[in-house]
Amino acid sequence: MPSTRRDGRHPDELRPTRFSWDPMGFALSSVTVHTGRTAVLCSVCLEEGVPRWRQGSGCGWLNADYRLLPASTPTRQPRELMKLSGRTQEIQRLIARSLRACLDLEALGERSLQIDCDVLQADAGTRTAAITGSWVALALGLRRLERQGVLSASPLRQQVAAVSVGLVDGQALLDLDYSEDSRAEVDLNVVTDGNANLLEIQGTAEGAPFSRAQLGELLDLAELGLERLQQSQRQALEEAPN
C-alpha cells in the first residue's frame, strides 16, 4: 500500500507501541503504554469487598476511571472533579466492560479491581490505548496475586486489546493519530479478545454514510492491527518484572 500519512506510515501500519513497567510503585501493577505520541498511565489496585449490590454473590467486580490530565492536550484540560463529562463517563464504561469480559469474576471472589487510566499525552486513540495498556497491567497484577497466595488461580480468561480505524479522504487507515482522527469521515474503535471475537465496536459516520463493504474493510484492517497489538502485549508480559 502506498504511504499517504503525515508520519510516513502505510495505511495498515500501527504507530510504534511500547510499554514501560511499574511507574507507580504502590499499585498492584502499573504500566505506561505509548502509541506514537499518545501516552496513557494504567494502574491496577485490589480492594477487599465489592459494591453493596454485589455483596453475597461470591463474585468480584472491576471498575475503571479515566481522565485526561490538564497538560495532555495542546490547550489545557480543566480537571474533572465532581462532575464528569459525558465523554469521560462513556470511556470509563467502555474500559470496564472490555476488561470484565476477560475475567472469571467468580474466581476473583468478593474482591474489587480498580483500574485507573490517566492520559499523559493525547494524540488520538486514548481510549483504545487505555484498554490495551490496562489489560497488560491487569494480567501482571493477577499474576502477582497468584504468587502472593491471594488467589489460587488467575481469573484471567482472555486477552483483550483495542484499536481505532477510520476512513480519511476515502481511504481506510489503521490507528489514527489526531491529524487523521480530526478529519475522518468514519471513525471506529474496535475491541477484541484473543480469539479475534468482537467485544465492542464504537463507530460513527462523521460526514456521509458508509457502506457495509467499507465497514467490512475497516474491521479487516482492525483485525490485522489487533493481532500485532496482542503480540506486543504478550512480549511486554514476558519482559515484565515479578
Side-chain angles (χ1 to χ4, degrees):
M1 294 184 182
S3 174
T4 59
R5 311 178 78 168
R6 185 184 66 172
D7 57 8
R9 285 184 292 146
H10 295 295
D12 63 349
E13 191 173 353
L14 291 167
R15 290 178 286 181
T17 304
R18 61 185 176 90
F19 301 90
S20 302
W21 282 110
D22 285 334
M24 305 187 76
F26 295 121
L28 175 61
S29 63
S30 61
V31 71
T32 304
V33 55
H34 302 262
T35 57
R37 297 198 303 168
T38 288
V40 184
L41 172 59
C42 307
S43 63
V44 181
C45 293
L46 179 71
E47 299 173 355
E48 292 296 329
V50 291
R52 181 176 299 176
W53 59 267
R54 194 83 166 169
Q55 291 173 2
S57 68
C59 296
W61 192 242
L62 181 147
N63 191 51
D65 280 352
Y66 165 98
R67 296 290 191 281
L68 284 169
L69 295 185
S72 62
T73 57
T75 302
R76 183 185 182 276
Q77 294 283 331
R79 292 186 186 273
E80 293 184 73
L81 299 173
M82 301 300 293
K83 183 174 176 59
L84 300 182
S85 69
R87 175 184 181 274
T88 295
Q89 294 182 61
E90 171 205 347
I91 293 174
Q92 290 183 164
R93 291 170 184 152
L94 171 66
I95 296 167
R97 284 196 307 268
S98 300
L99 295 176
R100 285 196 295 266
C102 77
L103 292 176
D104 177 354
L105 292 173
E106 186 173 355
L108 183 61
E110 291 201 17
R111 302 180 179 91
S112 297
L113 291 162
Q114 176 64 45
I115 310 294
D116 288 289
C117 302
D118 292 293
V119 178
L120 306 177
Q121 185 160 286
D123 188 35
T126 59
R127 72 187 69 192
T128 53
I131 292 169
T132 300
S134 291
W135 183 87
V136 171
L138 179 62
L140 180 61
L142 293 173
R143 181 195 297 175
R144 288 173 171 170
L145 290 175
E146 275 192 277
R147 288 176 178 166
Q148 295 166 10
V150 177
L151 297 175
S152 58
S154 175
L156 197 65
R157 298 184 303 180
Q158 270 291 355
Q159 193 169 355
V160 172
V163 77
S164 67
V165 286
L167 289 176
V168 182
D169 298 329
Q171 185 171 27
L173 300 179
L174 175 66
D175 194 13
L176 308 184
D177 66 16
Y178 179 76
S179 69
E180 297 161 339
D181 183 75
S182 61
R183 58 191 180 90
E185 298 103 57
V186 177
D187 181 22
L188 254 65
N189 297 301
V190 182
V191 188
T192 63
D193 68 15
N195 295 319
N197 294 313
L198 292 164
L199 299 177
E200 291 263 356
I201 301 175
Q202 291 186 336
T204 185
E206 302 287 353
F210 59 105
S211 67
R212 278 282 290 271
Q214 288 173 314
L215 175 60
E217 183 182 9
L218 290 171
L219 290 176
D220 288 344
L221 194 57
E223 186 174 348
L224 287 174
L226 287 162
E227 287 177 5
R228 297 171 197 155
L229 280 174
Q230 289 175 351
Q231 289 173 359
S232 297
Q233 287 176 315
R234 291 191 292 269
Q235 182 178 347
L237 283 172
E238 288 175 3
E239 299 168 354
N242 292 329

